[in-house]
Structures are given as structure tokens and as C-alpha cells.
């Protein structure tokens, strides 16, 4: 070990002597990442390394290592998961130097000219936050990842299960009954919020059966789970010689299985699914209570897993929250990587709208796009539905739809929805989320947790209902409207400094919709 260190130290000195102002710590850096990779792999966490250590050495400056990652989101997650501290500690062990880490966000354009330490994960090089224009420009770049050279440069070690990739020079697209270009990676706008799930999906499409198996994508309705799942299937189907790429909803899987029992054709059913090259099953929450189908799926899973065939599942909630699903099946669903999907922020919502407009060769004014992106915060499916209505009206008016007409359409579409959300539903959902009582939320206690939950409840009531601040005050033991406005300000400020709060709000909004449905 000491001899490695002294060799590395010599290398660093050499870098220093070449005439740089600050030492070039690349040798230490490479060794640091190598050791972390080794440690995580030994602890069965190789996937964590692939997902979270796409971090490049940029340079050094007065006791500081400057490194770069692809997005703010990744920087925050690395910090929260303790990976930045892990890097510092390992670097200290190797170099004897206690260095601060300055984590910058990578500039995609400058990337090519910079010396980087790459750990063979093509998916992670995809830019995460893009305007629509940038996104269209990146399509050739994404295709580049599908080239033979990048694929052979992947994590896959397994010749047996490795698919044969087709020659890129043949541009013919194969047709598949369930998968099409409509739901492809090219048509999915990635975002900071969804960087993890997007990168995991891309990685799977490049390394079917070996990168993460199975991949489980979970999250609320209309956020793009099916889209990403189909994108994986489509990409594999187009770029490999795999013929048997199966996409099926859990409901249809169940129906087909039940029918096969009735027809006494179970063998045919088993053969079909146990010989899949890739199996994509959508909405696995449907399997709750379906004991026989669960058992069949359990055996299908084992057969495919043993043969290293890729499986992808989607679910509307974390698997741990599924009821009436056997533990052994749950443990299989989560054996690979689980990634949740979120509603993208305003900028990405407008990028999605612009992308959909381009696809349909339609135009809307910047103000109307802005209006839709600002108002539709529930999910991307609603965003699309709203956009399609507006396009329809815009066509009817010969492209002269005014801003106030657009506003009318939006409020009519969502009017029914908003009037049903009451202050009480929001208070109950927030109380549940923060694990405090409903009466505490409404009451006067000033305990830190309760006060924060109360601020959130006030903020959401202000956002989701038509109540005035005085009326909201009545819902909180008669607080006056300035106190209510103060709560809104607290959360607005907090949102500016804490990105994860947005996710929290999205989850609570989802709960609110659930409450509303059940009330
Ligand atoms: P889910 O399966 O999570 O309910 P879907 O995959 O059906 O959601 O997505 C709903 C609609 O929104 C689809 O038409 C999909 O193409 C679109 N969509 C969702 N997320 C995105 C995104 N990030 N970029 C482009 N389109 C998206
Ligand atoms: Mg779906």
C-alpha cells in the first residue's frame, strides 16, 4: 500500500512540475474512485457506484479539489448519501491530504476538452437539464451511445446473455405491436428531478440483463413510468437481435394467465413468458390480491433472472407499500434498482409542451405555453390533455386564441378538480405525511415539527383552494391573515434554498388527490 502511495505521490509531483499552478491530483483521484468502487462492489453495492459516482476531476486550488457532476440533483444526492464525505475520507487516506471538495455542475460544451475519469457509464453522460432546443440537438448524441463501440464499452461482462447489436449502418426500423418511437428516449424530456430514473433506464437499455435487473420504476399517475418502460423496450428491440421483447400490463398478464387456465393452455403461457428476451410488466400494483398470478409471476421471474434476461416493472407506489403481495415476490421486484419518478419543474414542463408542439407541428404563443406550464402541476398526462384542448381551440379560432380564452379553457378543465379540495383534506394529508395529529395542525402548539407541517398546510391551502387568507386563518384556530401570509413566505423562501422540498410537496399533493378520491 505504501509503495502505491509513493508511486502516486511521484506522479502528482510530476504533474506539479509540468508547470501547473496547482498540483495535478489525478493519480490520487483515480485511486480514490478505484478504491470506492472496489469497496462498494465488495459490499454488494456496485450499482450505487455506477449511479452516483459519475464525478470528474477538474483541478485543484489552495487545499481544494474541484470536481464536477452532471446536475444539482446529483450533487445534493451525493452529499445526502454521504458519498462526498466518502470521497474526502478516501482521498485523505490515499494522499494524506485533507482537501475540501468544490463540486461544480458540469458544462456539457466544455466537457470534451477536459480530462475526465470515466467509469464506463454511457448513460450518465446525457445532459440532465435541457431546454427543448438543446434537447433536440442532443438526439444525435443519444444515438451515438447506441453505437457498437459504446455498447462494448459497458459494464457487461457476460458473453452468454449479451445481445448481438445490429449494424448501425442499416437504418431500417423494426415494428413491434406495443412499442414505437412515440414512447422513446428521444421523446422523453429528462430533468434534474428525474435524472436518476432516466439514467437507470438508459443504462438498462444499453446493458439489458446485466446493468440493473430488474429495474423498478415507481411513482404517481401520468408521470412517465410507462413511457420510460416502453423506451427501454423500444431501444433494446431496435438495437439488438432480440425478437421476444414483451410489454404487457399487469392486468393483461393476469387476464391471459386466467384464460390459459380456463383453456388448459398454461404450458403455452409459461413458454411464452419464461422464454422472453426482455419482459416489461406495467402497473404491478394490479397484482395485489391475485395470488395465483403472483405465484406464476414468481416462477417466471426466477426463470428469467437465472438466464439474465432483463425485466422492468412499474408501480404506482413504493413496493414496500403494496398490500397482499407475497414477501418473496416483493423482494424480487426490488432485487435490482428501484427508482422513483417525479413531476418536473416549471422549466421542464414548458420544454415538454414545446416538444409536443414540435411533434404535432403546431404553434402557440410564449404566454400561452407559460400559462399551461405554470398552471398544470399535477402530472404530465394532465399537462398533455390541457395542451391538446388548447391546440384544438387554437385551431378552431384559426390560431388566434387569446390569453384570456386559454385561461378560461384551463380553469374549466380543472375547475371541478380544484373546488373539491377542501382545507380539511389538505390538513389531514399534511398531518399524515408529517406524522402529527390533525388537531395539532389546526391548533396553537409551537413545536418545531408541528409548526413546519402547519406552514406547509397553509401554503398548500393557499395554492390549491380559492380561500382567502382570512378564511384560511379560520381553518387554523382563527389565526389572522398576516400569520397566514407569513407561513406562505416561509415555504416560498425555503423552496428557493431546498430543492427537495418540491418533491415533498409533490408527494403530499398526490396524497391529497388520494384523500379527495376516498372522501
Ligand atoms: P404513467 O405511466 O406514469 O402513468 P405515462 O408514461 O403514461 O405515465 O405518461 C403520461 C403521458 O405523459 C404520456 O403521453 C407520456 O409520453 C408523457 N410524458 C410523461 N413524462 C414525460 C416527459 N418527461 N417527457 C415527455 N413526455 C412525457
Ligand atoms: Mg402507466
Amino acid at each position: 500500500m505504501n509503495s502505491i502511495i509513493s508511486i502516486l505521490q511521484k506522479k502528482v509531483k510530476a504533474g506539479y512540475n509540468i508547470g501547473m499552478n496547482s498540483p495535478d491530483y489525478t493519480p490520487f483521484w483515480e485511486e480514490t474512485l478505484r478504491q470506492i468502487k472496489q469497496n462498494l462492489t465488495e459490499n454488494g453495492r456496485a450499482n450505487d457506484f455506477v449511479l452516483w459516482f459519475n464525478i470528474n476531476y477538474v483541478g485543484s486550488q489552495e487545499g481544494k479539489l474541484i470536481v464536477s457532476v452532471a446536475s444539482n440533483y446529483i450533487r445534493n444526492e451525493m452529499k445526502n448519501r454521504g458519498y462526498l464525505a466518502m470521497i474526502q475520507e478516501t482521498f485523505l487516506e490515499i494522499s494524506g491530504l485533507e482537501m475540501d471538495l468544490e463540486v461544480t455542475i458540469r458544462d456539457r460544451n466544455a466537457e470534451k476538452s477536459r480530462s475526465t475519469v470515466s467509469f464506463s457509464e454511457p448513460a450518465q453522460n446525457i445532459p440532465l437539464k435541457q431546454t427543448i432546443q438543446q434537447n433536440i440537438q442532443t438526439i444525435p448524441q443519444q444515438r451515438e451511445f447506441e453505437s457498437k463501440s459504446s455498447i462494448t464499452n459497458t459494464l457487461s461482462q457476460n458473453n452468454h446473455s449479451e445481445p448481438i447489436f445490429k449494424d448501425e449502418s442499416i437504418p431500417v426500423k423494426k415494428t413491434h405491436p406495443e412499442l414505437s418511437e412515440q414512447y422513446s428516449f428521444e421523446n422523453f424530456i429528462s430533468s434534474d428531478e428525474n435524472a436518476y430514473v432516466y439514467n437507470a433506464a438508459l443504462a438498462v437499455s444499453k446493458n439489458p440483463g446485466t446493468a440493473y435487473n430488474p429495474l423498478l420504476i415507481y411513482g404517481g399517475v401520468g408521470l412517465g413510468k410507462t413511457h420510460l418502460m416502453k423506451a427501454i423496450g423500444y431501444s433494446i428491440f431496435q438495437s439488438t437481435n432480440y425478437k421476444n421483447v414483451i410489454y404487457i400490463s399487469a392486468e393483461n398478464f393476469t387476464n391471459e394467465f386466467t384464460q390459459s387456465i380456463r383453456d388448459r393452455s398454461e404450458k403455452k403461457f409459461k413458454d411464452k413468458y419464461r422464454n422472453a428476451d426482455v419482459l416489461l410488466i406495467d402497473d404491478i400494483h394490479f397484482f395485489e390480491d391475485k395470488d395465483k398470478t403472483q405465484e406464476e409471476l414468481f416462477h417466471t421471474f426466477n426463470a428469467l433472472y437465472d438466464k439474465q434476461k432483463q425485466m422492468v416493472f412499474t408501480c404506482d407506489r413504493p413496493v414496500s407499500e403494496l398490500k397482499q403481495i407475497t414477501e418473496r415476490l416483493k423482494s424480487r421486484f426490488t432485487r435490482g434498482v428501484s427508482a422513483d419518478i417525479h413531476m418536473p419543474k416549471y422549466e421542464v414542463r414548458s420544454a415538454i409542451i414545446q416538444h409536443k408542439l414540435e411533434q404535432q407541428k403546431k404553434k402557440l404563443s410564449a404566454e400561452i405555453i407559460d400559462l399551461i406550464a405554470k398552471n398544470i402541476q399535477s402530472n404530465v398526462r394532465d399537462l398533455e390533455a390541457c395542451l391538446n384542448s388548447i391546440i384544438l381551440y387554437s385551431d378552431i379560432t384559426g390560431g388566434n386564441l387569446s390569453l384570456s380564452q386559454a385561461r378560461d379553457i384551463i380553469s374549466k378543465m380543472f375547475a371541478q378538480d380544484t373546488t373539491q379540495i377542501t382545507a380539511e383534506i389538505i390538513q389531514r394529508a399534511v398531518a399524515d405525511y408529517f406524522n402529527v395529529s390533525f388537531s395539532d395542525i389546526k391548533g396553537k402548539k409551537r413545536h418545531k415539527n408541528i409548526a413546519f407541517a402547519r406552514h406547509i398546510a397553509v401554503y398548500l391551502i393557499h395554492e390549491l383552494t380559492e380561500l382567502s387568507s382570512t378564511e384560511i386563518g379560520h381553518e387554523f384556530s382563527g389565526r389572522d391573515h398576516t400569520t397566514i401570509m407569513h407561513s406562505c413566505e416561509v415555504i416560498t423562501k425555503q423552496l428557493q434554498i431546498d430543492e427537495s422540498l418540491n418533491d415533498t410537496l409533490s408527494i403530499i399533493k398526490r396524497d391529497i388527490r388520494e384523500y379527495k378520491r376516498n372522501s
Side-chain angles (χ1 to χ4, degrees), residues 183 187-189 220-227 352 356 380-381 384:
Y183 297 114
N187 284 331
F188 190 90
I189 310 295
V221 290
L223 294 179
K225 299 185 296 296
T226 300
H227 188 138
I352 292 174
K356 307 260 172 203
V380 185
R381 188 172 298 150
E384 238 177 41

Side-chain angles (χ1 to χ4, degrees), residues 31 38 62 122 156 169 259 267 342-343 363 417 424 474-475 508 510:
E31 180 59 17
Q38 190 179 336
E62 295 157 5
S156 172
S169 58
Q259 188 63 38
K267 181 168 180 324
H342 307 277
M343 179 60 171
K363 279 204 162 74
D417 220 31
E424 182 179 334
H474 291 316
E475 303 291 336
I508 300 173
R510 198 175 85 195

Side-chain angles (χ1 to χ4, degrees), residues 266-314:
E266 284 144 284
K267 181 168 180 324
K268 201 170 141 217
F269 180 91
K270 286 186 206 313
D271 285 351
K272 175 176 168 190
Y273 288 100
R274 293 183 196 184
N275 289 316
D277 291 315
V278 176
L279 179 60
L280 316 164
I281 304 189
D282 210 356
D283 294 329
I284 55 165
H285 43 270
F286 186 84
F287 290 130
E288 284 186 327
D289 284 330
K290 315 280 184 314
D291 298 346
K292 279 222 158 231
T293 314
Q294 282 182 39
E295 168 142 17
E296 177 55 30
L297 179 61
F298 174 75
H299 295 297
T300 307
F301 183 105
N302 292 343
L304 293 177
Y305 191 83
D306 287 348
K307 287 192 274 184
Q308 289 181 295
K309 298 299 184 188
Q310 182 68 47
M311 287 169 276
V312 183
F313 303 110
T314 68

Side-chain angles (χ1 to χ4, degrees), residues 380-432:
V380 185
R381 188 172 298 150
D382 286 350
L383 190 77
E384 238 177 41
C386 178
L387 175 66
N388 288 337
S389 290
I390 295 218
I391 290 175
L392 188 75
Y393 280 96
S394 169
D395 284 351
I396 292 169
T397 58
N400 289 323
L401 188 75
S402 70
L403 194 59
S404 69
Q405 285 170 318
R407 205 172 277 129
D408 270 2
I409 296 167
I410 295 179
S411 55
K412 278 197 191 104
M413 271 188 87
F414 293 93
Q416 213 193 353
D417 220 31
T418 46
T419 48
Q420 284 171 2
I421 298 177
T422 61
E424 182 179 334
I425 287 176
I426 296 172
Q427 287 168 325
R428 288 197 185 279
V430 172
D432 269 9

